[in-house]
Amino acid sequence: MPDRGGGPTGPRMRVGRPSRRVRTLLMTLGVLAVLGMAFTMFAGFWTDWLWYRSVNYSSVFTTTLWTKIGLFFVFGLLMALAVGFNIWLAHRLRPPLSAMSMEQQSLDRYRMGIAPYKRWLLFGITALVGLIAGASASSQWRTWLMWVNGVPFHQKDPQFHLDVSFYAFDLPWYRFLLGFGFAAAILSLIAAALTHYLYGGLRVTSPGARATAAATGHLSVLLGIFVALKAVAYWLDRYGLAVKSSDFKATDNWTGLRYVDANAYLPAKTILFCIAVICALLFFATLWRRTWQLPVIGFGLMVLSAILIGGLYPAIVQKFQVQPNEQAKEAPYVEKNLKATREAYGIDGAKVTEYSGKSTSSDKTKLRDDVDSTASIRIMDPNVVSPTFQQLQQIRNYYAFPTNLDVDRYSKDGKDQDTVIGLRELNLNGIPKNNWINDHFRYTHGYGVVAAKGTEADAEGRPVFTESDLPSKGDLGSYQQRIYYGEKTSTYSIVGGPQKEIDYSDDNGEKTTSYEGTSGVNLSNPINRAAYAVAFSEPQILYSGAIGEGSRILYNRTPKERVEAVAPWLTIDGDAYPAVVDNKIQWIVDAYTTTNGYPYASRTTLGDTTADSLTATNNNRTVVAQQNQVNYIRNSVKATVDAYTGAVKLYQWDTEDPVLKTWMKAFPGTVESRSDISASLMAHLRYPQDLFKVQRELLTRYHVKDPTTFLSGSEVWQVPDDPATKSGNAVPPYYLSMKMPDQAAQAFSLTTTFTPNGRDNLSAFMSVDAEAGTPDYGKIRILKLPTNTTVNGPKQVQSTFNSEQRIAEAIKLLQGGDSDVEYGNLLTVPLDGGLLYVEPVYVRGGGLKYPLLRKVLVTYGGATAFENTLDEALNKVFGASGPTTQPPDDTTTNPPPTSTNPTVQDALDDAQKAFDAGQEALKKPDWEAYAAAQKDLEAALKRAEDAQAKADKTSGSSKPSSSPSPSGSPSSSASSG
């Protein structure tokens, strides 16, 4: 038998190539994988383009895209050419013969191995570094656009007398170019050195010279370029001192030159620049001298100088010149920082007035009357009553209100009314059955505005609604009530096609609708459907029969998302708020232009500065881009988002802001003129909370104008912790219609208080006129309390409330059973030299799952009252009666306290008896009997509510039933007078 090469044990198995079928299958799979990846990338690009086109901001997309592409190719190509040229040059300068040594014999194998692939290897290396450099450069599109479009500030820094625009727009770009140059020089140096070593131009162990003359010259030039770039860095560092952050005993995040910077670092940088230039010239001279002796000496001198002149000398100046007489040395530089910081944050116009904090008036009747003219005291806290809105006005489980409602003002009969407002938005968690059709086709939108008076409560402690029910009706008139875009609308919806949407339900059953707006992207195109199926990882979008002619997909539906997308160069305020404007629900979004390049102005971190007790529990209220460190901010843009169409409009608010002007040059046509703001929209614009919080944080230190006082730290304030919570977070600012001592009439204002650093007594009260369109809009007023006496601050006032025996016992009774007491906003109102504090107290308990206003705490001049209504509390504090106010007519918004249902009426009779028993127990006082009566009262009200709900269900009613109250309810009308 012939030998088959398999040896004695049998034939040898052959390992052959895969069959043609296998190769074809593998190639097909590879092609499909490449196409899949390509289409995934295309889907992201295409859906972005379609979205920007749908909101009419395609220029933002194209400008950003072409800028990124241009930077990618320009800097990627430059990096590839720099590295590739130096590799080619090092190869070209290789010695013709290699020394006979073990080192070179080992390298011969590598030289022979890469010889057939030299071109491919060169192409691969240069392509890799080019891609990395291009990707890094494309992320600098903002820096490029600001540099190329920058407009002057017409303000010069006090040190170098350059326009602020140099630091805000030019210096960041120069630093990027310098960083790119360093990267190119270092990568070229490494690549050239490795190439020289591989081909024998550099030798480590071989006999003779360690480097050829060609290699020496080549590497010397690259080192010279590196050192020259270092010289440029030293020169730019001189200007960088004006925007350099450092910790200073007077403040964190200090920016600008101090004494040691101006008298040690600045001359040191100039000297080091000169040394670096000389050192670079010595490296270049190696082309002729062919020795590294002088360049190495020069480089060593530069390093030694950097240590001695740049490090040791400033430390000596600080130790022996500054510290012995710091206040005198630093005062001129502190003065520059004070001026620049106040200008950069818009607090230079803050008016500080001395305020005694104690009233000397003996006319109690006049003081009581002055309360009504001084402030419209808001007892409905928008951060507490959301569950009440939810319980009384949710109507259906698939609607919900935000955790924190908003405060706005609406005019009725020519008088402005502070109003608590919220939208009945879509809540997918409340849908009876979650599936893809229900979540994205059937339940697509919320419905209607719910609003209540901020200064009143009804007889049961509930809000007095001015706009309620479903469909909503009331004082706001006729408007488009469907809400397709809102703060809680975070998922996509497909509307306008063959699938009908649930509109709302009433006594006659479900109402359906079909979206008639032009918002969203049309899905009739199969390419669009495929792209969105990939982008949203939802294949049903591609083949679902629920999508047809006219179907449109809505996404990016929260107001902040939409504004941030169309204006990525803006920083967005954390609180968008709704308003009914021109028969439409409009979301109003405040937006800021910022920079961290304002010379001498101290920096602040937006996320930290805008944090308070609300943001601790509700992250949606935190400013977008919260980790931005800035030292200049302007509320330069007011934006609106239509709740039905999703249309986004940007309005120029600050017409003098150079940063906004720069971005308007970069993105022409995206921001409309301030004159285009309608009068009806202007009536709802207000001073933004996040800007106010940034300004109040800066004013804790920068209310001082004297450098010596600033350095001593004796006048440092702090924003007090919220006394109504135990979180240890800052008290939020409050909107309130009030007048300051120098104002003739009430103005819609944003207010806050200050306490001394580390103490609880009051230091100052601050307000800003928040009424847009008025001459005083944005004017900051600060009432500074005396330092030689103490005036109770918010925490001390709250402690007084809690510690007074009569109030403590009453609160304990309110907490009886399973009830919880919730404190509302502690409002501070300056009144006739003193300070009036008002705090509503809510009770949530029994069968009620929402807070009701039960009591109002008031204190003024040492007198404290804890009564059922604001009027009663004010009357008791001042010992005088205010103007008589009629109870609010709420028959249109709340059910009457009687019922024709016998079961309900029996329960109400029991409730009345329990209430009367409780009142008798209070007179004795018999606390155990009172607690028992309260339990009976809650049980009776719960029976009435259940009986009414059962009756409504039997009759097919869809309107919410609220428990009627006994006629003598202790929570009678609470109004501001």
Side-chain angles (χ1 to χ4, degrees):
M1 179 175 263
D3 184 9
R4 296 181 181 273
T9 59
R12 180 184 302 159
M13 295 186 64
R14 293 184 179 179
V15 182
R17 296 176 59 192
S19 65
R20 178 176 297 178
R21 178 180 297 177
V22 173
R23 293 199 305 272
T24 303
L25 178 61
L26 291 175
M27 289 180 62
T28 302
L29 291 175
V31 170
L32 289 176
V34 171
L35 290 176
M37 293 174 61
F39 189 77
T40 301
M41 296 173 62
F42 167 78
F45 164 81
W46 186 243
T47 54
D48 284 347
W49 161 248
L50 291 174
W51 186 85
Y52 276 97
R53 192 174 63 175
S54 73
V55 293
N56 298 318
Y57 282 90
S58 55
S59 63
V60 174
F61 179 82
T62 54
T63 299
T64 304
L65 177 65
W66 286 117
T67 302
K68 290 180 178 179
I69 291 174
L71 292 173
F72 177 87
F73 279 105
V74 169
F75 286 94
L77 186 61
L78 286 175
M79 182 65 77
L81 287 175
V83 175
F85 172 75
N86 281 284
I87 292 175
W88 172 84
L89 184 60
H91 180 265
R92 183 71 180 270
L93 297 176
R94 69 189 184 279
L97 296 174
S98 300
M100 298 302 295
S101 65
M102 293 298 296
E103 179 186 23
Q104 294 303 313
Q105 289 177 12
S106 298
L107 291 173
D108 276 340
R109 289 178 296 172
Y110 295 103
R111 288 192 283 263
M112 293 174 62
I114 66 173
Y117 310 106
K118 285 190 294 186
R119 291 185 178 180
W120 287 106
L121 187 60
L122 177 63
F123 176 78
I125 292 173
T126 55
L128 178 62
V129 297
L131 286 172
I132 295 173
S136 176
S138 66
S139 66
Q140 299 294 320
W141 63 272
R142 289 181 176 85
T143 308
W144 160 261
L145 288 175
M146 292 182 78
W147 178 68
V148 77
N149 295 289
V151 301
F153 277 67
H154 301 296
Q155 256 179 312
K156 298 184 183 296
D157 78 282
Q159 181 67 41
F160 301 101
H161 308 292
L162 297 174
D163 192 90
V164 172
S165 61
F166 171 80
Y167 302 94
F169 306 140
D170 300 343
L171 190 58
W173 179 249
Y174 296 154
R175 281 176 165 165
F176 163 72
L177 292 178
L178 185 63
F180 178 83
F182 273 124
I186 292 172
L187 289 175
S188 297
L189 183 63
I190 293 172
L194 290 175
T195 306
H196 280 298
Y197 175 72
L198 181 64
Y199 287 97
L202 291 178
R203 294 184 286 273
V204 177
T205 61
S206 300
R210 299 298 184 193
T212 63
T216 299
H218 184 195
L219 296 179
S220 295
V221 170
L222 291 176
L223 286 170
I225 293 173
F226 177 84
V227 176
L229 289 172
K230 188 61 181 173
V232 176
Y234 282 133
W235 189 257
L236 288 181
D237 284 346
R238 298 170 68 255
Y239 303 111
L241 292 172
V243 289
K244 181 196 72 172
S245 283
S246 61
D247 291 333
F248 191 31
K249 64 179 295 184
T251 178
D252 297 331
N253 295 318
W254 170 278
T255 303
L257 285 82
R258 291 153 52 191
Y259 181 88
V260 69
D261 296 314
N263 295 278
Y265 280 111
L266 187 57
K269 297 293 183 183
T270 306
I271 294 171
L272 289 172
F273 164 76
C274 297
I275 293 174
V277 170
I278 295 171
C279 187
L281 293 175
L282 291 176
F283 273 109
F284 292 140
T286 308
L287 284 171
W288 296 275
R289 293 179 54 84
R290 303 296 183 182
T291 175
W292 280 359
Q293 184 177 6
L294 286 178
V296 169
I297 293 173
F299 188 78
L301 177 62
M302 187 178 74
V303 173
L304 183 62
S305 300
I307 296 172
L308 296 178
I309 302 175
L312 185 60
Y313 174 63
I316 293 173
V317 171
Q318 178 69 23
K319 179 71 175 177
F320 295 102
Q321 291 191 34
V322 177
Q323 289 185 4
N325 191 16
E326 186 174 39
Q327 289 197 352
K329 296 291 187 182
E330 298 288 12
Y333 304 96
V334 171
E335 188 172 4
K336 296 174 184 177
N337 177 269
L338 287 170
K339 183 176 183 296
T341 302
R342 292 170 64 87
E343 290 173 349
Y345 290 94
I347 57 177
D348 50 325
K351 180 183 178 182
V352 180
T353 306
E354 299 294 331
Y355 193 72
S356 66
K358 294 182 180 179
S359 174
T360 58
S361 176
S362 59
D363 189 347
K364 300 297 184 182
T365 303
K366 182 179 183 301
L367 284 174
R368 176 63 183 89
D369 293 340
D370 286 346
V371 173
D372 302 310
S373 61
T374 300
S376 298
I377 299 175
R378 179 172 45 76
I379 55 176
M380 282 290 113
D381 187 344
N383 306 309
V384 174
V385 299
S386 178
T388 309
F389 274 51
Q390 190 83 3
Q391 185 72 16
L392 301 179
Q393 291 296 324
Q394 178 188 18
I395 311 299
R396 289 290 181 265
N397 285 337
Y398 47 82
Y399 296 130
F401 291 92
T403 306
N404 302 98
L405 303 177
D406 289 289
V407 177
D408 201 351
R409 55 266 184 247
Y410 287 85
S411 180
K412 185 178 182 181
D413 300 329
K415 183 178 180 181
D416 284 345
Q417 168 69 51
D418 285 4
T419 303
V420 177
I421 186 171
L423 301 189
R424 195 183 286 113
E425 295 190 46
L426 179 66
N427 174 30
L428 290 179
N429 294 327
I431 292 177
K433 184 179 180 181
N434 286 96
N435 55 54
W436 189 64
I437 294 295
N438 276 349
D439 290 353
H440 301 289
F441 290 82
R442 294 278 289 164
Y443 296 91
T444 59
H445 60 279
Y447 206 98
V449 172
V450 177
K453 294 182 179 180
T455 55
E456 295 181 13
D458 72 1
E460 296 181 20
R462 300 180 303 183
V464 177
F465 293 109
T466 58
E467 186 80 11
S468 60
D469 297 335
L470 186 68
S472 295
K473 56 184 178 290
D475 295 346
L476 301 185
S478 175
Y479 58 94
Q480 173 57 262
Q481 297 197 21
R482 297 175 182 89
I483 303 161
Y484 283 86
Y485 296 88
E487 289 182 302
K488 300 178 73 68
T489 316
S490 56
T491 187
Y492 69 89
S493 290
I494 298 175
V495 299
Q499 182 68 58
K500 291 294 183 180
E501 309 160 42
I502 292 178
D503 207 10
Y504 65 91
S505 300
D506 61 12
D507 295 343
N508 298 318
E510 283 186 351
K511 307 293 183 183
T512 60
T513 187
S514 187
Y515 184 65
E516 298 178 354
T518 58
S519 180
V521 177
N522 197 321
L523 292 180
S524 59
N525 187 329
I527 295 179
N528 291 358
R529 293 176 66 170
Y532 280 103
V534 171
F536 291 160
S537 300
E538 183 50 72
Q540 293 186 77
I541 294 177
L542 184 60
Y543 56 78
S544 174
I547 302 176
E549 187 66 31
S551 291
R552 311 181 72 83
I553 185 168
L554 313 181
Y555 61 105
N556 287 354
R557 297 170 70 183
T558 67
K560 289 184 285 188
E561 276 182 325
R562 295 180 78 77
V563 175
E564 189 177 30
V566 303
W569 33 272
L570 291 174
T571 299
I572 310 302
D573 188 273
D575 182 26
Y577 61 97
V580 177
V581 180
D582 297 328
N583 303 322
K584 299 175 183 177
I585 300 174
Q586 296 281 352
W587 287 100
I588 300 175
V589 183
D590 286 285
Y592 310 107
T593 47
T594 62
T595 180
N596 64 356
Y598 198 99
Y600 274 97
S602 291
R603 290 190 172 93
T604 186
T605 304
L606 293 181
D608 296 337
T609 309
T610 57
D612 57 28
S613 61
L614 292 183
T615 63
T617 57
N618 183 6
N619 289 331
N620 288 335
R621 298 292 288 269
T622 306
V623 65
V624 178
Q626 60 175 331
Q627 294 309 315
N628 281 0
Q629 259 214 342
V630 305
N631 66 353
Y632 172 93
I633 186 169
R634 289 290 185 273
N635 176 213
S636 52
V637 171
K638 301 284 188 181
T640 62
V641 177
D642 193 295
Y644 183 74
T645 67
V648 182
K649 290 188 177 181
L650 307 176
Y651 296 99
Q652 182 183 16
W653 184 246
D654 189 332
T655 57
E656 302 299 323
D657 178 30
V659 181
L660 178 60
K661 291 179 180 179
T662 295
W663 287 118
M664 290 175 67
K665 279 183 64 180
F667 296 96
T670 56
V671 181
E672 299 182 29
S673 170
R674 177 169 175 157
S675 60
D676 293 329
I677 299 176
S678 65
S680 53
L681 174 59
M682 184 71 77
H684 295 282
L685 299 182
R686 68 188 192 190
Y687 202 81
Q689 292 186 68
D690 284 335
L691 176 60
F692 184 77
K693 286 189 278 189
V694 171
Q695 291 175 325
R696 75 172 179 178
E697 181 63 31
L698 268 295
L699 280 167
T700 59
R701 301 182 302 276
Y702 286 91
H703 65 278
V704 174
K705 296 182 180 180
D706 177 58
T708 303
T709 306
F710 185 84
L711 281 168
S712 70
S714 61
E715 288 291 323
V716 174
W717 299 338
Q718 66 181 16
V719 179
D721 294 340
D722 190 345
T725 67
K726 297 181 180 180
S727 61
N729 299 108
V731 62
Y734 295 123
Y735 287 105
L736 183 67
S737 289
M738 55 164 289
K739 66 176 181 179
M740 294 287 275
D742 65 334
Q743 290 180 291
Q746 292 183 21
F748 191 63
S749 305
L750 194 52
T751 65
T752 192
T753 53
F754 295 108
T755 58
N757 194 25
R759 298 180 62 189
D760 295 324
N761 57 289
L762 198 67
S763 282
F765 174 83
M766 170 182 168
S767 79
V768 63
D769 194 324
E771 189 82 36
T774 59
D776 281 349
Y777 171 82
K779 184 174 182 178
I780 297 174
R781 296 177 172 89
I782 299 175
L783 302 181
K784 185 176 180 295
L785 279 298
T787 57
N788 56 352
T789 60
T790 59
V791 177
N792 284 347
K795 190 174 181 180
Q796 292 172 322
V797 170
Q798 187 71 52
S799 178
T800 301
F801 286 155
N802 296 338
S803 61
E804 189 169 323
Q805 183 177 0
R806 177 179 57 87
I807 297 175
E809 289 176 349
I811 290 176
K812 186 176 180 180
L813 285 174
L814 292 173
Q815 291 174 327
D818 59 350
S819 298
D820 293 321
V821 170
E822 297 183 31
Y823 294 100
N825 37 219
L826 179 58
L827 301 176
T828 308
V829 178
L831 179 67
D832 192 48
L835 292 162
L836 175 70
Y837 285 97
V838 178
E839 183 175 47
V841 179
Y842 300 84
V843 176
R844 185 202 304 246
L848 303 176
K849 301 186 182 300
Y850 55 93
L852 297 177
L853 180 67
R854 291 305 189 194
K855 294 285 185 178
V856 179
L857 285 162
V858 174
T859 184
Y860 181 82
T864 301
F866 184 60
E867 302 299 324
N868 295 329
T869 70
L870 178 60
D871 280 342
E872 293 175 8
L874 290 171
N875 293 344
K876 184 171 182 179
V877 164
F878 293 104
S881 299
T884 303
T885 57
Q886 296 296 325
D889 182 10
D890 57 355
T891 56
T892 61
T893 58
N894 296 316
T898 59
S899 174
T900 58
N901 185 304
T903 306
V904 176
Q905 192 59 52
D906 289 344
L908 287 177
D909 291 341
D910 292 342
Q912 185 65 52
K913 294 176 183 178
F915 173 74
D916 293 338
Q919 295 302 300
E920 289 297 324
L922 279 176
K923 293 177 181 178
K924 294 181 180 180
D926 185 346
W927 302 119
E928 291 184 3
Y930 181 81
Q934 286 297 104
K935 290 182 179 179
D936 293 340
L937 176 61
E938 290 178 0
L941 289 175
K942 184 68 170 63
R943 282 193 290 114
E945 186 176 18
D946 292 342
Q948 185 65 49
K950 185 177 180 180
D952 290 343
K953 185 176 181 181
T954 303
S955 63
S957 173
S958 65
K959 294 183 180 181
S961 61
S962 303
S963 298
S965 67
S967 61
S969 172
S971 293
S972 58
S973 172
S975 77
S976 67

